[in-house]
């Protein structure tokens, strides 16, 4: 079997295995076919499969044991060291109705602080998705997110007009590690336009960046409306 008439290279094998993991064909803890079977299925050398699986193991997505075979890593989004909160779920757990509104979706170079955090080139276009989460129709959180297309090319096909990037990424892409911090800012014109309030209001921001191995996935600043209280689940 070949890919569009061309033999699978190790990068293509990696992407195929990753597709099966993110598509839930292989679930956390599931054993995957051995190298010989995968090589026969994909029409490539066993050494090619070995290199691809080693790469995914290095990224923390596979667990390889000498006599126990290879399994999908048991940690997935939502159960890693840093939990990625679903804003919709968070709103509903507070007994309120979640709403969502897309404000902006564009492909453009990010601010320097975003590129520096993610380790991308300052002139590399990233997918910028800005949206507003609502609770019972009132502003709840402003999501300002940058997604790296080189890591998540499928995001370029998503309109994010109904399902927000926060939930889409949690459902579709596992991460291996993250950096996360909370900070307080004074509301300025941009925050007031989206969240209401008055200039100088103290607002909580949850800033987070995630990676899949060495590959950056996303950088997000989630700014919450005035009066927001941080729960233990964040």
């Amino acid at each position: 079997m070949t890919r569009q008439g061309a033999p699978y290279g190790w990068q293509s094998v990696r992407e195929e295995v990753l597709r099966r993991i993110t598509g839930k064909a292989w679930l956390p803890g599931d054993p995957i076919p051995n190298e010989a079977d995968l090589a026969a299925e994909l029409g490539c050398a066993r050494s090619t499969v070995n290199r691809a699986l080693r790469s995914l193991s290095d990224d923390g997505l596979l667990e390889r044991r000498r006599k126990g075979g290879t399994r999908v890593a048991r940690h997935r989004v939502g159960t890693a060291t840093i939990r990625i909160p679903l804003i919709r779920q968070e709103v509903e757990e507070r007994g309120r109705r979640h709403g969502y509104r897309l404000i902006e979706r564009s492909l453009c170079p990010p601010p320097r602080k975003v590129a520096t955090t993610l380790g991308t080139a300052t002139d590399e276009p990233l997918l910028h998705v800005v949206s507003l989460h609502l609770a019972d129709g009132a502003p709840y959180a402003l999501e300002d997110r940058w997604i790296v297309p080189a890591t998540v090319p499928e995001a370029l096909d998503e309109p994010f007009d109904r399902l927000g990037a926060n939930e889409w990424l949690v459902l579709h892409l596992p991460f291996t590690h993250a950096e996360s911090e909370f900070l307080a800012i004074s509301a300025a014109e941009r925050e007031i336009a989206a969240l209401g309030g008055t200039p100088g209001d103290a607002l909580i921001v949850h800033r987070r960046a995630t990676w899949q191995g060495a590959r950056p996935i996303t950088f997000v600043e989630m700014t919450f409306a005035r009066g927001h209280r941080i729960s233990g689940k964040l």
Side-chain angles (χ1 to χ4, degrees), residues 24-73:
K24 298 183 174 62
W26 296 341
L27 299 176
D30 281 355
I32 71 169
N34 62 42
E35 293 178 2
D37 288 344
L38 277 175
E41 177 189 348
L42 301 176
C44 62
R46 182 172 176 175
S47 60
T48 301
V49 173
N50 179 272
R51 183 176 180 186
L53 298 187
R54 279 192 288 109
S55 171
L56 289 168
S57 177
D58 290 343
D59 285 351
L61 299 175
L62 294 176
E63 297 173 352
R64 308 189 76 195
R65 296 180 180 178
R66 187 170 183 180
K67 294 185 178 181
T70 301
R71 296 177 178 270
V72 179

Side-chain angles (χ1 to χ4, degrees), residues 85-99:
L86 280 178
I87 297 300
R88 174 187 57 76
Q89 187 178 68
E90 179 182 314
V91 169
E92 292 174 349
E93 286 177 350
R94 293 173 185 241
R96 306 173 73 182
R97 176 175 52 84
H98 177 258

Side-chain angles (χ1 to χ4, degrees), residues 113-143:
K113 70 174 182 179
V114 175
T116 299
T117 299
L118 294 175
T120 59
T122 55
D123 60 350
E124 178 183 349
L126 304 184
L127 183 59
H128 190 206
V129 182
V130 182
S131 58
L132 181 65
H133 295 269
L134 308 169
D136 290 339
Y140 182 83
L142 177 65
E143 179 180 349

